[in-house]
């Protein structure tokens, strides 16, 4: 019990002391995960809308694969990205290993299937509702996709948040491809892992509390934006 | 009344023609060998008992279903949206976008590349004729059933279609809304839009219709002028339908 109280105290002090190192870790965490979420949403929403509208052989199979990829263990994703980016790997020449970019790539691979699979579920239902209207208007598939994405935006925001939640809390993949290098690729989760292994549990827990706090703050900010954007009225 | 605008009459669309049209789903023949020609103006009423195939008939006409055999022709069939030979349909359960009433109408105009400066005026007029000005910013799906029907109709008409399909558009409306809807349909008909009007209301059929198609168990039993039909329904099924009896 004392440890938890200590942790809160340390977390509080760390935040207020404007510890440079802490803030650079928080900043990098947010930068990596927000970039990954942005890219994953661009990819995942497009895949989701496309698979809702287009029908082709293998359609079902792709959805099954995406659903399976949703549960991919982060360390495996990390390993794959590591192999691709390592010096002898196919993209080794880019020299991306142990950079924030590598971490973004790993997180994108991790959460794009999640974002895509959840988007399909949502947009397919919406498409079913709109289908005959769309066809009576002789819309192109592209126009259908645009409409689905727009009218489904409220649900898609939630999907994006789910992706963010998975990205910011993930440790296995970024540890492998980022290397947890101080001042360079250290983020909240890898710092927590490090402090835990060093036995400085109170500091680890303090970082955990801050991580949860930031996660909550991002969620709250998006929710607030959403309810202010008249979104409520389009239920 | 005659030729209020000549927009459609410049280029008369081919009449809708069904030739030996059948539709079979799951081995059930839901539409059986329908042959008919619909004039390219006026209001054709479609009547028939529940489950007769009226909605399927409209879906075939709209190209939403492909006949199992037979052909359907008409110049609207391959028409691009926004051309004067386009088709609009109001479904039995109106399909409205998850947007405001205003945005629902703007949407179809947008899809047919209506110039931005005309858009506001057209949407405004459409809302006015549907008596939905007060509801302009209301999400379409929060409107009452009758308001939704009026909105769906206003949205269908705003593109000035060559053909308008109405599937029981007044089934759940109060007399005032019914009057508005019939008025909107009559105005469209007067300016050259062909209307196919599915209804169960005999008096309404007499009010709005020029000719009538009576469908029973997927078959087109009768196609004659309204006047002739109500003098002689032409089949015992139609007579039973009009009398409110179950045919023996
Ligand atoms: N997709 C489908 N699969 C199987 N049966 C269908 C399908 N669509 C319609 N049916 C059947 O075809 C018949 C005709 O349906 P339709 O909706 O055209 O009836 P309707 O004349 O419009 O009736 P109502 O007056 O109740 O609206 C019904 O028995 C219905 O169950
Ligand atoms: Mg019907």
């Amino acid at each position: 019990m004392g440890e938890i109280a200590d942790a809160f105290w340390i977390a509080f002090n760390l935040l207020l002391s404007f510890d440079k190192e802490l803030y650079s870790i928080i900043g990098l965490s947010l930068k990596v995960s927000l970039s990954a979420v942005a890219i994953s949403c661009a990819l995942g929403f497009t895949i989701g809308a496309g698979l809702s509208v287009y029908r082709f052989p293998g359609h079902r199979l792709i959805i099954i694969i995406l659903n399976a990829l949703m549960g991919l263990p982060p360390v495996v994703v990390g390993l794959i990205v590591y192999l691709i980016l390592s010096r002898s790997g196919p993209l080794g020449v880019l020299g991306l290993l142990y950079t924030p970019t590598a971490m973004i790539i790993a997180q994108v691979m991790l959460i794009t299937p999640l974002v895509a699979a959840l988007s399909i579920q949502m947009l397919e239902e919406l498409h079913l509702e709109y289908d005959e209207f769309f066809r009576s208007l002789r819309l192109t598939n592209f126009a259908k996709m645009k409409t689905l994405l727009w009218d489904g935006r409220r649900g898609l925001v939630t999907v994006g948040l789910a992706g963010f939640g998975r990205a910011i809390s993930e440790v296995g993949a970024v540890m492998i491809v980022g290397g947890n290098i101080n001042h360079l690729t250290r983020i909240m989760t890898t710092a927590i892992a490090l402090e835990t292994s060093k036995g400085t549990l109170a500091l680890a827990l303090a970082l955990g509390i801050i991580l949860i706090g930031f996660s909550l703050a991002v969620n709250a900010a998006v929710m607030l934006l959403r309810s202010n954007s008249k979104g409520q009225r389009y239920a | 009344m005659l030729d209020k605008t000549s927009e459609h009459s410049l280029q008369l669309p081919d009449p809708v023609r069904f030739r030996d049209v059948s539709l079979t789903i799951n081995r059930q023949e839901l539409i059986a060998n329908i042959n008919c020609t619909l004039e390219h103006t006026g209001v054709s009423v479609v009547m028939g008992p529940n489950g007769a195939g009226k909605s399927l008939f409209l879906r075939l006409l709209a190209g939403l279903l492909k006949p199992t055999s037979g052909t359907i022709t008409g110049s609207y069939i391959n028409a691009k949206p926004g051309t004067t030979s386009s088709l609009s349909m109001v479904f039995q359960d109106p399909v409205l976008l998850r947007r405001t009433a205003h945005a629902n109408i703007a949407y179809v105009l947008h899809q047919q590349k209506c110039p931005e400066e005309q858009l506001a005026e057209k949407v405004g007029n459409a809302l006015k004729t549907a008596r939905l000005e007060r509801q302009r910013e209301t999400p379409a799906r929060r409107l009452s059933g009758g308001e939704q029907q009026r909105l769906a109709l206003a949205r269908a008409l705003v593109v000035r279609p060559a053909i308008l399909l109405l599937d029981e558009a007044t089934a759940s409306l109060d007399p005032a809304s019914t009057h508005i809807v019939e008025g909107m349909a009559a105005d469209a008909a007067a300016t050259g839009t062909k209307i196919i009007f599915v209804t169960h209301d005999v008096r309404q059929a007499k009010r709005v219709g020029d000719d009538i198609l009576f469908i029973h168990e997927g078959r087109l039993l009768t196609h004659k002028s309204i006047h002739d039909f109500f003098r002689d329904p032409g089949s015992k099924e139609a007579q039973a339908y009009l009398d409110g009896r179950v045919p023996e």
Side-chain angles (χ1 to χ4, degrees):
Chain A
M1 197 58 224
E3 214 150 54
I4 293 180
D6 276 356
F8 270 102
W9 181 241
I10 296 174
F12 189 67
N13 276 322
L14 271 175
L15 276 176
L16 284 191
S17 68
F18 292 100
D19 182 78
K20 230 181 167 177
E21 202 168 321
L22 175 71
Y23 277 88
S24 84
I25 290 177
I26 294 173
L28 187 63
S29 279
L30 289 176
K31 188 185 124 187
V32 168
S33 292
L34 289 176
S35 310
V37 166
I39 296 168
S40 290
C41 283
L43 292 171
F45 292 168
T46 311
I47 294 171
L51 286 175
S52 305
V53 165
Y54 286 93
R55 293 283 146 182
F56 50 86
H59 178 269
R60 227 38 267 164
L61 186 70
I62 294 182
I63 293 178
I64 290 171
I65 292 174
L66 280 173
N67 278 312
L69 291 179
M70 233 185 347
L72 216 57
V75 274
V76 175
V77 172
L79 189 59
I80 293 168
V81 175
Y82 181 90
L83 290 174
I84 293 171
L85 296 184
S86 72
R87 217 163 333 134
S88 52
L91 296 182
V93 286
L94 299 178
L96 289 176
L97 203 59
Y98 304 131
T99 64
T101 308
M103 295 155 78
I104 293 174
I105 293 173
Q107 290 198 347
V108 166
M109 285 193 49
L110 198 65
I111 60 177
T112 300
L114 176 85
V115 172
L118 294 179
S119 309
I120 293 166
Q121 266 175 32
M122 244 198 59
L123 298 177
E124 234 176 9
E125 202 177 299
L126 190 59
H127 184 236
L128 214 63
E129 189 183 314
Y130 286 180
D131 182 44
E132 289 204 309
F133 172 62
F134 280 168
R135 292 200 288 136
S136 75
L137 282 182
R138 313 282 189 264
L139 290 193
T140 62
N141 281 336
F142 183 68
K144 292 180 191 176
M145 284 169 66
K146 275 205 316 201
T147 307
L148 289 179
L149 288 171
W150 180 250
D151 284 14
R153 65 194 178 283
R154 279 163 43 77
L156 292 177
V157 167
T158 311
V159 171
L161 284 180
F164 176 74
R166 180 149 199 221
I168 193 97
S169 61
E170 188 282 318
V171 58
V174 283
M175 184 76 96
I176 294 177
V177 302
N180 192 24
I181 302 165
N182 204 2
H183 303 306
L184 201 63
T185 59
R186 181 159 302 163
I187 60 170
M188 298 296 287
T189 53
T190 54
I192 292 170
L194 180 70
E195 295 306 332
T196 307
S197 68
K198 286 201 302 198
T200 36
L201 294 185
L203 181 57
L205 200 52
L207 290 171
I209 291 165
I210 294 170
L211 177 62
I212 293 170
F214 269 90
S215 218
L216 282 174
V218 170
N219 273 274
V222 174
M223 290 295 173
L224 223 79
L225 268 177
R226 202 169 80 164
S227 58
N228 280 347
S229 68
K230 302 182 192 170
Q232 302 303 43
R233 307 189 308 156
Y234 296 83
Chain B
M1 162 85 190
L2 274 177
D3 205 8
K4 266 189 200 160
T5 83
S6 53
E7 205 171 303
H8 296 307
S9 38
L10 286 175
Q11 170 207 356
L12 284 180
D14 295 344
V16 175
R17 187 166 284 142
F18 277 56
R19 285 194 198 86
D20 303 321
V21 171
S22 298
L23 176 73
T24 303
I25 300 180
N26 297 334
R27 298 178 187 213
Q28 261 190 302
E29 192 169 52
L30 300 174
I31 293 290
N33 201 34
I34 288 189
N35 280 288
C36 66
T37 303
L38 302 175
E39 292 308 319
H40 50 64
T41 55
V43 178
S44 298
V45 169
V46 179
M47 294 186 102
N50 292 139
K54 303 179 297 298
S55 296
L56 290 177
F57 178 77
L58 291 194
R59 285 194 162 81
L60 285 165
L61 212 166
L64 299 176
L65 286 170
K66 294 277 162 267
T68 318
S69 63
T71 54
I72 303 164
T73 52
S75 57
Y76 70 93
I77 291 237
N78 290 313
K80 290 266 180 302
T83 60
T84 47
S85 37
S86 68
L87 172 143
S88 287
M89 179 158 180
V90 176
F91 296 92
Q92 199 163 350
D93 306 305
V95 182
L96 294 170
L97 299 172
R98 298 181 186 182
R99 304 182 183 196
T100 61
H102 177 274
N104 262 274
I105 295 179
Y107 179 83
V108 288
L109 286 170
H110 208 74
Q111 293 302 333
Q112 65 152 239
K113 314 248 179 319
C114 169
E116 210 57 46
E117 62 274 11
Q118 293 174 20
L119 203 120
E121 194 195 330
K122 285 192 177 182
V123 176
N125 287 339
L127 287 169
K128 193 164 359 166
T129 45
R131 310 276 172 89
L132 289 170
E133 289 147 301
R134 272 195 318 118
Q135 288 83 358
R136 105 183 232 125
E137 294 303 327
T138 308
R141 297 174 353 145
R142 297 251 177 89
L143 295 172
S144 79
E147 289 165 349
Q148 291 195 9
Q149 281 289 2
R150 267 147 51 202
L151 176 61
L153 177 58
R155 188 182 63 183
L157 282 173
V158 78
V159 296
R160 300 186 52 76
I163 300 187
L164 172 67
L165 311 182
L166 296 178
D167 198 349
E168 300 190 29
T170 62
S172 59
L173 302 195
D174 68 15
S177 283
T178 304
H179 185 73
I180 296 171
V181 166
E182 284 180 16
M184 289 166 75
D187 286 346
T191 54
T193 295
K194 168 71 187 180
I195 296 178
I196 323 272
F197 202 114
V198 174
T199 181
H200 289 293
D201 182 338
V202 170
R203 280 184 299 173
Q204 182 173 51
K206 287 181 180 166
R207 277 197 302 274
V208 302
D210 295 313
D211 56 330
I212 182 161
L213 297 100
F214 183 80
I215 299 181
H216 182 83
E217 293 181 355
R219 285 167 205 286
L220 177 61
L221 294 189
T222 325
H223 182 196
K224 17 167 117 170
S225 75
I226 288 281
H227 180 257
D228 290 349
F229 179 79
F230 286 108
R231 240 184 16 199
D232 169 22
S235 64
K236 62 180 193 306
E237 288 85 357
Q239 189 61 57
Y241 173 83
L242 292 176
D243 297 346
R245 286 184 288 114
V246 180
E248 337 47 78

